[in-house]
Amino acid sequence: MSSEINVLDSIDNLYQQLFSKEKQIADYIKDHPDEVVMMNVSQLAKASGTSEATVVRTCKHLGYQGYYQLRLILSRDIGTKSNDIGIDADTDFVSYTFERNIQNLRNLSSNLSKDVLLQCALILLKAPAVHIIATGNTTPIALDLSFRLSRFGVQSFSSSISEYYLNNVSLGSKEDVVIAISGSGTSKQVLQAADIAKDIGMTIMSITSDSDSPLARVSDHILSSTEEHPLFNETKEPLSHLCSMAICDALLYAVKICLLTQTSKSFPSLKKRTDEMEVYLSTTKL
């Protein structure tokens, strides 16, 4: 279907060809277009009382490749600007940006449990290997977290190539841990890796903004990165990863606390190894 065709018009034109459950989804889209552009596939399925598979099937019956394309075009159609405040180069958009981020981080800190973070940190320290998986523009967060965890002596693996981390997870043991990072919780490769890890019996931790997503449902520990006041609000705009990165920092700090309080008892050789590594790495900074 041409991207020039309005989504709501497409629904009107093809409505009679849809099955009853598909009509249920179509009705919800028509009645709540502003809400739908902010939903992922699992959220729309829940809101419309259907299933994720039915949502995808409905989109294809309407002539779209999938839900993401429909949502993208719907966003263009209605011109969602719910977070815009008329800011331009002549106004103080810098202060606005930072104030919005500060609000999000404060809300995030109030919703994160330090006990859960410490529990996750202990699990990471005891794991033979930690697989940190992500895809798309979330990949740099996974790579950074993997490197910084390794600086604490945690054997961690990550890659920008999904085939690589899928293979690593499949070769792991049930004592390993997976940290899955996906804002929507619906990234295909991340879900594939999480499913493999679940079958093996690994512990799965997820950093996601949707606590009811497919990823969250297979996770043992969910670290929610939900933004109460998103800086970017349209599907065609680049999402902020500030909250996900802040969670990674909090998790690393929890690891640091566990090391400081338990290294001598639980991890006797870990401090020596990490101290030696710091000496080696310091030579690259001269």
Side-chain angles (χ1 to χ4, degrees):
M1 172 175 289
S2 170
S3 60
E4 299 302 318
I5 300 178
N6 184 289
V7 171
L8 300 182
D9 288 342
S10 298
I11 291 175
D12 288 336
N13 294 338
L14 299 170
Y15 188 82
Q16 296 305 320
Q17 300 177 28
L18 301 177
F19 297 108
S20 59
K21 285 292 183 180
E22 295 172 344
K23 288 180 178 179
Q24 200 167 312
I25 294 170
D27 290 338
Y28 190 89
I29 294 173
K30 290 179 64 177
D31 293 339
H32 310 88
D34 294 303
E35 297 176 18
V36 171
V37 295
M38 298 304 299
M39 294 179 174
N40 61 37
V41 65
S42 59
Q43 291 171 325
L44 178 56
K46 182 177 180 180
S48 61
T50 59
S51 68
E52 294 168 21
T54 306
V55 171
V56 175
R57 189 169 59 247
T58 302
C59 295
K60 291 183 176 180
H61 282 180
L62 291 172
Y64 301 99
Q65 294 179 0
Y67 176 62
Y68 180 81
Q69 186 187 54
L70 179 144
R71 191 178 67 165
L72 187 67
I73 296 173
L74 180 62
S75 175
R76 181 209 63 186
D77 293 342
I78 65 177
T80 304
K81 299 289 182 183
S82 60
N83 276 338
D84 290 350
I85 58 172
I87 289 179
D88 54 34
D90 295 324
T91 59
D92 193 0
F93 63 88
V94 175
S95 294
Y96 171 77
T97 301
F98 279 83
E99 285 300 323
R100 183 58 63 97
N101 283 331
I102 290 169
Q103 286 179 329
N104 284 327
L105 290 175
R106 282 175 175 162
N107 290 328
L108 182 67
S109 67
S110 64
N111 293 325
L112 274 178
S113 166
K114 72 173 185 177
D115 292 333
V116 171
L117 285 169
L118 289 170
Q119 181 184 2
C120 289
L122 280 173
I123 294 171
L124 293 176
L125 286 169
K126 294 178 181 178
V130 177
H131 308 272
I132 306 176
I133 58 177
T135 190
N137 60 6
T138 313
T139 300
I141 303 174
L143 294 172
D144 177 68
L145 178 58
S146 176
F147 174 73
R148 291 198 288 163
L149 265 180
S150 69
R151 295 286 294 275
F152 281 122
V154 177
Q155 184 162 277
S156 58
F157 304 95
S158 188
S159 175
S160 59
I161 303 172
S162 59
E163 289 86 352
Y164 183 84
Y165 62 66
L166 283 166
N167 185 63
N168 268 359
V169 172
S170 68
L171 295 175
S173 68
K174 66 179 181 179
E175 290 79 20
D176 289 355
V177 174
V178 161
I179 300 178
I181 307 175
S182 172
S184 67
T186 60
S187 301
K188 183 177 179 181
Q189 293 90 341
V190 173
L191 287 175
Q192 288 173 336
D195 287 339
I196 293 171
K198 200 71 175 178
D199 288 340
I200 294 173
M202 296 181 187
T203 298
I204 301 175
M205 304 175 187
S206 64
I207 299 176
T208 179
S209 62
D210 184 2
S211 59
D212 193 39
S213 64
L215 176 60
R217 291 198 288 269
V218 299
S219 300
D220 301 291
H221 304 279
I222 304 169
L223 302 175
S224 175
S225 59
T226 301
E227 292 183 326
E228 296 290 336
H229 306 284
L231 184 63
F232 301 101
N233 209 15
E234 295 188 65
T235 55
K236 63 177 178 288
E237 291 179 342
L239 295 177
S240 171
H241 295 303
L242 185 61
C243 286
S244 294
M245 291 187 288
I247 288 175
C248 291
D249 281 345
L251 183 59
L252 286 165
Y253 207 88
V255 170
K256 177 180 179 179
I257 291 172
C258 290
L259 284 173
L260 290 173
T261 57
Q262 302 191 35
T263 295
S264 60
K265 297 179 181 179
S266 304
F267 317 103
S269 64
L270 191 54
K271 188 176 188 305
K272 180 177 182 296
R273 295 202 310 272
T274 54
D275 286 347
E276 290 174 347
M277 181 55 65
E278 284 300 314
V279 174
Y280 297 145
L281 290 173
S282 68
T283 62
T284 67
K285 301 174 183 178
L286 295 177

